[in-house]
Amino acid sequence: PEALAAVLESGGNALVGFEYEGYRVVIGPGPDDVAVEVIDEKR
């Protein structure tokens, strides 16, 4: 979590995205910007 916060607080327009347990999570460009999308309806 600290490394992710450091990237997002570095002043650039960074986006971090990953898929986990049937969800797509996108964080950024600010540390408070979070989007979660269901990509596997069976979950």
Side-chain angles (χ1 to χ4, degrees):
E2 292 85 14
L4 179 58
V7 168
L8 295 174
E9 292 171 351
S10 67
N13 285 330
L15 287 175
V16 177
F18 57 92
E19 294 181 6
Y20 180 75
E21 295 285 327
Y23 295 90
R24 178 176 296 121
V25 180
V26 179
I27 303 170
D32 296 325
D33 300 329
V34 178
V36 178
E37 174 187 359
V38 176
I39 57 175
D40 183 356
E41 294 293 331
K42 297 177 185 174
R43 301 254 174 203

